[in-house]
Amino acid sequence: MAESFRVLHPIKYYRDYIASNVRPDGRGLHKFRPVLVNIGSIQTADGSALAKVGDTTVICGIKAELCTPKPECAREGFLIPNVELPPLCSPKFRPGPPSDEAQVASQLLANIVKNSKCINLQELCLFPEKLAWCLFADIICISYDGSLMDACIIALMAALKSVQLPVVDYDPAADSRLVNEEEKKSLNIKSVPICSTFSIFDEKVVLYDPTDEEESLCSSTFNIVVREDQLSSVHKPGGAPISDEKLFECIKVSKERASTICKLIETAIHENNT
Amino acid sequence: MAKVLTDRAYIEMNYRPKAGLPCVQDRFYEAILKNTCETALAASLFPRASVVITLQEMHDNGQLISCAINAACLACLDSGIDMRFMFAAMTCFLTNNGDLHLRTPEVKEDIDAIFVFVFDSVKKNVIVSHTEGTFKTENYKLALEKCREGSETVFKFMRKEITKE
């Protein structure tokens, strides 16, 4: 009975739950789902991590390739994040070229990486104008259940922290390169941005860390990215308007959550190394 | 036919760059524009209909996204489709000496962060918030206030333009 009511009148079903300050999955309105991080899940990648936020699961693999820097930024390497939402992760995605949602997620991720300056691209350059590292960060969603960005950022940052790049000897005169696979070094990650997702239900109730069902019923979803004690992005792409006090309340909560998740990534990296 | 929605109008947004085909960055802007128009237009009054909004970039001298949003609002007003509220976008720049400016600074290197806000005309609440760069919460708060004040001029301008004829 309850299940058919949920399918036929989803909004009414949610309204009844939210009126008593609880969500259908048993969480309170202001509760986040548990987060899980696993480092080094893919052996063939130069760095990899798996992140789970509730039932949302993403895996990130980083492949490093040698390339020539762009003429306009001759002293910089590349970090190219790409989010894939294959049909296996949710019935709402179809096979074929990347959906709009996947493209928007990739762009948002690239913006966050750029804004938070978590990695200095100049350190990826081996010789100006000649040789640089290009890091392809492929993020594949295995199970989609809302708050995609949270999981993507955690997986990307954990994977970047686990990257081991071989030392390259480059001779500019002879244009010869010698890759020393024996000797490897990690990347210098300056800071770890952490994203938190929120949804606005019925234009007034803010739900933290929404599931896929909640996201589709809510009139607006927004992300807050925190780097240390600073903000590196407050991204609200339209949807229902939000009052200032609720917005700043969410910013405060994201800051608290960011420090816990940073610690989680640190612990995962530490345990992987020992 | 696949795009027909039974409970409201389908809103299609096409954002076209100055030259070439739309890239991923343009899709990102397109998503913001689409979501804003979806909230502002009273789409539930026109089930099974479709509204196509096409924006063509003509010239970018900074604040492109704000300009595109304001153009979309004026075009919606001009079309006569019922709207729940008007919306206006403002861009604010945080320079490295800690000042906030509503005008695009001449030197790009001086910019620490860029804030783009869209407000509704009724309660002046935030519909869109888009930021670039890293900043403190206080700066965000100040930029929000400054943009809200600035949006008044945009709303006034829109009212003046639309009631002119």
Side-chain angles (χ1 to χ4, degrees):
Chain A
M1 179 60 197
E3 272 310 300
S4 44
F5 182 50
R6 184 180 195 159
V7 176
L8 292 167
H9 298 286
I11 297 197
K12 176 83 175 74
Y13 180 81
Y14 266 84
R15 248 177 227 153
D16 290 349
Y17 266 99
I18 286 166
S20 31
N21 280 322
V22 72
R23 294 198 244 176
D25 58 2
R27 273 189 292 163
L29 303 184
H30 297 170
K31 276 270 186 301
F32 290 96
R33 289 174 290 178
V35 178
L36 190 139
V37 186
N38 184 355
I39 311 273
S41 327
I42 309 169
Q43 290 297 315
T44 48
D46 295 293
S48 63
L50 179 134
K52 256 188 106 160
V53 176
D55 282 338
T56 301
T57 315
V58 297
I59 189 157
C60 173
I62 294 180
K63 195 76 195 156
E65 277 181 26
L66 288 168
C67 65
T68 331
K70 274 196 285 188
E72 59 262 40
C73 350
R75 288 169 186 280
E76 288 180 8
F78 306 88
L79 170 62
I80 302 166
N82 183 38
V83 181
E84 258 181 66
L85 298 170
L88 76 90
C89 70
S90 162
K92 67 178 183 182
F93 301 115
R94 303 269 106 218
S99 60
D100 279 355
E101 196 174 344
Q103 290 188 34
V104 170
S106 297
Q107 183 63 43
L108 184 57
L109 201 58
N111 284 354
I112 292 169
V113 168
K114 195 176 136 210
N115 291 338
S116 62
K117 298 189 184 76
C118 52
I119 178 166
N120 185 357
L121 291 177
Q122 295 198 346
E123 286 171 19
L124 291 178
C125 185
L126 298 163
F127 195 87
E129 288 177 44
K130 294 285 181 201
L131 200 64
W133 282 113
C134 179
L135 302 178
F136 290 99
D138 282 308
I139 298 160
I140 299 166
C141 181
I142 298 172
S143 161
Y144 184 97
D145 195 22
S147 309
L148 177 73
M149 262 301 141
D150 298 20
C152 286
I153 299 263
I154 297 170
L156 176 68
M157 292 323 294
L160 276 175
K161 281 199 169 235
S162 71
V163 167
Q164 294 282 323
L165 288 180
V167 175
V168 180
D169 283 323
Y170 180 69
D171 180 8
D175 193 28
S176 72
R177 52 185 92 150
L178 193 71
V179 181
N180 186 356
E181 290 283 353
E182 310 277 282
E183 202 181 330
K184 293 210 173 184
K185 60 177 182 17
S186 348
L187 289 172
N188 178 17
I189 306 295
K190 292 209 170 110
S191 58
V192 179
I194 297 293
C195 176
S196 300
T197 306
F198 303 89
S199 273
I200 308 170
F201 185 79
D202 263 357
E203 312 213 341
K204 47 182 186 289
V205 187
V206 179
L207 303 178
Y208 294 7
D209 193 11
T211 62
D212 181 24
E213 196 181 15
E214 284 161 1
E215 271 183 10
S216 56
L217 294 173
C218 283
S219 41
S220 167
T221 300
F222 59 100
N223 303 305
I224 296 174
V225 184
V226 178
R227 191 202 72 171
E228 286 147 14
D229 62 331
Q230 291 197 311
L231 292 167
S232 91
S233 174
V234 181
H235 183 75
K236 184 177 184 304
I242 183 173
S243 65
D244 287 10
E245 49 189 298
K246 278 185 188 139
L247 186 62
F248 286 103
E249 174 72 31
C250 293
I251 291 177
K252 209 180 111 209
V253 173
S254 326
K255 282 190 177 174
E256 287 162 14
R257 183 175 182 238
S259 56
T260 4
I261 293 183
C262 272
K263 268 182 217 146
L264 177 78
I265 296 177
E266 282 304 323
T267 324
I269 290 284
H270 185 72
E271 279 182 15
N272 187 51
N273 290 344
T274 50
Chain B
M1 276 306 278
K3 287 169 181 171
V4 171
L5 299 174
T6 49
D7 59 337
R8 64 200 143 98
Y10 177 78
I11 292 161
E12 190 180 321
M13 178 65 71
N14 289 310
Y15 178 84
R16 299 181 58 84
K18 203 163 162 186
L21 291 169
C23 61
V24 182
Q25 178 71 53
D26 301 317
R27 289 257 178 263
F28 185 71
Y29 286 154
E30 201 174 87
I32 295 180
L33 282 156
K34 186 180 180 212
N35 278 325
T36 314
C37 291
E38 270 177 353
T39 342
L41 293 172
S44 49
L45 292 178
F46 310 99
R48 295 172 187 278
S50 131
V51 181
V52 184
I53 304 168
T54 308
L55 282 150
Q56 167 73 55
E57 174 192 344
M58 306 283 276
H59 180 64
D60 179 13
N61 195 14
Q63 317 197 6
L64 177 67
I65 178 78
S66 289
C67 184
I69 294 169
N70 290 333
C73 180
L74 275 169
C76 289
L77 284 171
D78 192 43
S79 71
I81 307 168
D82 297 61
M83 286 171 84
R84 292 165 64 203
F85 44 71
M86 294 200 294
F87 51 93
M90 276 309 265
T91 308
C92 189
F93 297 86
L94 174 71
T95 50
N96 47 15
N97 52 12
D99 291 346
L100 290 161
H101 301 274
L102 291 177
R103 274 175 189 279
T104 320
E106 308 249 311
V107 194
K108 258 197 172 155
E109 281 69 34
D110 286 353
I111 304 171
D112 261 9
I114 306 173
F115 309 89
V116 180
F117 293 106
V118 177
F119 301 99
D120 71 76
S121 60
V122 183
K123 285 184 186 158
K124 306 284 184 297
N125 277 340
V126 184
I127 306 174
V128 172
S129 156
H130 169 72
T131 63
E132 286 171 35
T134 322
F135 45 88
K136 292 197 184 79
T137 317
E138 297 86 73
N139 288 331
Y140 183 76
K141 211 171 205 167
L142 290 173
L144 181 61
E145 285 309 315
K146 204 174 172 95
C147 285
R148 186 169 281 145
E149 274 170 36
S151 70
E152 294 289 333
T153 16
V154 182
F155 284 127
K156 261 185 210 149
F157 172 77
M158 282 181 181
R159 285 208 178 88
K160 201 181 88 200
E161 286 300 301
I162 219 78
T163 50
K164 220 164 37 181
E165 287 155 50

